[in-house]
Amino acid sequence: MRRPSGSKKAERFTESVIREMTRLSHEHGGVNLSQGFPDFPAPDAIKAAAYEAIQDDINQYAVTWGAAPLREAVAREFTRRYGVPVDADEQVTVCCGSTEAMITTLLASVDPGDEVIVFEPFYENYGPDAILSDAVPRYVTLREPDWTFDPDELAAAFNDKTRAVIINSPNNPTGKVFTPDELETIARLCQHWDVLAVTDEIYEHIIYDGVRHVPMVAIDGMADRTVTINSLSKTFSVTGWRVGWTIAPAALTGAIRKVHDFLTVGAAAPLQAAGAAALGSPESYYRDLAAGYERRRNLLLEILERHQFVCYRPSGAYYVMTDLAAFDVTDDVEFARTLVREVGVAAVPGSSFYRNADLGRTKLRFCFCKQDATLQEADRRLAKFGVQATS
Ligand code: GLN
């Protein structure tokens, strides 16, 4: 065999650290605050809709770009909420989760050598996504405590090779919600350089303190240069269902659908039917979702701060990025491994969210999409650990 260990492309990235931490957590009987998935049940209504779809024999392939009822529900809800017209037939493509939606969008829009701008810290998939789509990633740093970017640094990252910019708001791992002004700044640059905005808005409904989500596509002049990515995973606590979608300009939809078709054919048909039903949930569902997470956020912040983690208070998504100043840490990965092995709490090392690992060396991300009992068990375990803090 010429390449028993894999392609050059595959050599350029490592295993997902997030998924690795979940494995280590299982191995050590840890409380898993690493990989962001709820440990509480999905809503009864979406589960009932899925049973019903299987009973009704919605068990064969859906249309490759997504069953009409789900695409129509996605379009209808987006337009109702944000006043942006969306045509289900021309613009919506259902994928196997937003993970596939992102890689499909990049494969469909980027040519080898094109540059893609990524804000760091970034959700770790975006790095390998850029490599797999033969793009050259250019990183722009979001700086704590507010995770703002320097507009000049962003402007300097654009050039005539730039094809796309990836935005994730509310943001994983920082909890930042990009302000309308920041979105405007990015939008003006996209228009100036003729660049596509690919926006991962999977935490759209998980947002706190009265902050409002503004989709990039709603910014003036962005309708024909934005791909909006979302999914059922976080909104309906079904991360294992793998049902997501893109809302794209009609001119790009054909390319997205072709790539999607040959990658996966389609997402699970009965779960698409259940998704269509779930998207008809009343506003109270979304309000309760956000309120429940806001309460858990406050609980985890209180726990972590009591155990001397410096916390960056998230305005959205369900993660708390922390700094380890109190613990004399120089290697976040080693610290995370010790924490799961000896304390029994799993979190994600900060460096896995940075291209420049040094920027994350004293950081750790915890998630709070967990039952109170889970967060309280982490509290008890961390109590053992607090004594090791040096200040
Ligand atoms: N989005 C979640 C996280 O960042 C889960 C990612 C995944 O494993 N697909 O932890």
Side-chain angles (χ1 to χ4, degrees):
M1 230 188 95
R2 228 158 22 107
R3 287 196 171 279
S5 60
S7 67
K8 286 182 183 150
K9 261 189 196 181
E11 269 169 22
R12 286 177 53 205
F13 52 89
T14 58
E15 181 196 5
S16 154
V17 182
I18 297 176
R19 265 85 82 192
E20 184 196 351
M21 288 312 301
T22 283
R23 238 193 8 259
L24 285 179
S25 185
H26 287 150
E27 218 176 287
H28 295 287
V31 174
N32 189 1
L33 304 188
S34 60
Q35 193 177 16
F37 61 87
D39 71 347
F40 44 82
D44 286 341
I46 194 171
K47 291 193 293 192
Y51 308 145
E52 200 180 308
I54 291 175
Q55 284 298 345
D56 288 352
D57 268 320
I58 304 186
N59 294 311
Q60 310 309 325
Y61 304 120
V63 179
T64 177
W65 51 80
L70 177 56
R71 282 185 292 108
E72 282 158 12
V74 165
R76 179 195 71 226
E77 283 306 296
F78 200 84
T79 302
R80 186 179 67 77
R81 204 172 289 283
Y82 301 113
V84 176
V86 175
D87 183 318
D89 289 328
E90 301 285 322
Q91 293 185 263
V92 180
T93 304
V94 176
C95 295
C96 298
S98 62
T99 297
E100 191 224 311
M102 178 60 73
I103 185 72
T104 291
T105 299
L106 293 180
L107 288 169
S109 58
V110 167
D111 284 313
D114 284 353
E115 296 188 3
V116 172
I117 297 175
V118 178
F119 291 96
E120 69 172 353
F122 51 82
Y123 172 51
E124 59 170 13
N125 279 37
Y126 304 155
D129 283 349
I131 293 168
L132 289 170
S133 54
D134 287 315
V136 179
R138 300 261 307 205
Y139 296 93
V140 173
T141 305
L142 300 171
R143 292 178 204 283
E144 62 269 37
D146 296 330
W147 307 104
T148 46
F149 58 85
D150 172 352
D152 294 334
E153 189 185 336
L154 180 66
F158 279 78
N159 61 57
D160 49 22
K161 289 205 200 112
T162 311
R163 174 68 181 126
V165 52
I166 298 177
I167 301 134
N168 172 215
S169 179
N171 183 261
N172 175 8
T174 63
K176 172 191 176 64
V177 176
F178 283 66
T179 65
D181 276 357
E182 288 172 326
L183 295 176
E184 284 281 349
T185 302
I186 301 167
R188 296 291 84 81
L189 288 163
C190 286
Q191 287 162 44
H192 180 82
W193 292 100
D194 192 19
V195 163
L196 188 69
V198 183
T199 79
D200 176 348
E201 301 182 9
I202 192 167
Y203 301 100
E204 169 191 10
H205 296 292
I206 302 178
I207 194 159
Y208 315 119
D209 306 326
V211 175
R212 280 173 49 84
H213 175 69
V214 177
M216 178 57 110
V217 71
I219 304 284
D220 241 14
M222 292 305 285
D224 61 352
R225 57 173 67 257
T226 301
V227 179
T228 309
I229 291 175
N230 211 323
S231 127
L232 299 178
S233 291
K234 315 291 185 186
T235 304
F236 298 102
S237 305
V238 288
T239 62
W241 282 21
R242 317 310 303 135
V243 178
W245 54 85
T246 58
I247 301 174
L252 189 56
T253 297
I256 289 177
R257 288 181 174 178
K258 276 192 291 184
V259 174
H260 156 73
D261 185 11
F262 286 108
L263 280 180
T264 65
V265 179
L271 305 184
Q272 293 192 47
L279 287 172
S281 300
E283 270 316 290
S284 59
Y285 173 77
Y286 299 95
R287 268 200 310 275
D288 292 350
L289 178 81
Y293 276 124
E294 187 163 330
R295 197 183 52 70
R296 292 183 190 98
R297 175 198 66 170
N298 295 344
L299 176 58
L300 183 63
L301 280 173
E302 188 278 311
I303 292 169
L304 292 174
E305 281 171 352
R306 191 155 33 75
H307 294 300
Q308 306 192 47
F309 290 85
V310 175
C311 294
Y312 301 104
R313 185 186 178 84
S315 303
Y318 48 46
Y319 310 94
V320 178
M321 193 67 140
T322 66
D323 194 89
L324 307 169
F327 303 106
D328 224 359
V329 168
T330 49
D331 186 341
D332 60 316
V333 176
E334 200 188 304
F335 184 85
R337 293 211 166 116
T338 307
L339 199 65
V340 67
R341 217 177 30 238
E342 291 173 19
V343 182
V345 175
V348 183
S351 59
S352 54
F353 303 106
Y354 285 92
R355 168 234 15 194
N356 175 4
D358 285 349
L359 294 176
R361 279 289 172 232
T362 64
K363 295 187 173 73
L364 210 55
R365 188 199 76 173
F366 292 84
C367 69
F368 54 86
C369 42
K370 305 293 170 185
Q371 301 172 57
D372 289 9
T374 308
L375 300 175
Q376 283 152 357
E377 178 57 24
D379 185 10
R380 277 190 286 280
R381 294 182 182 202
L382 286 167
K384 288 195 255 170
F385 179 69
V387 293
Q388 294 170 22
T390 54
S391 59

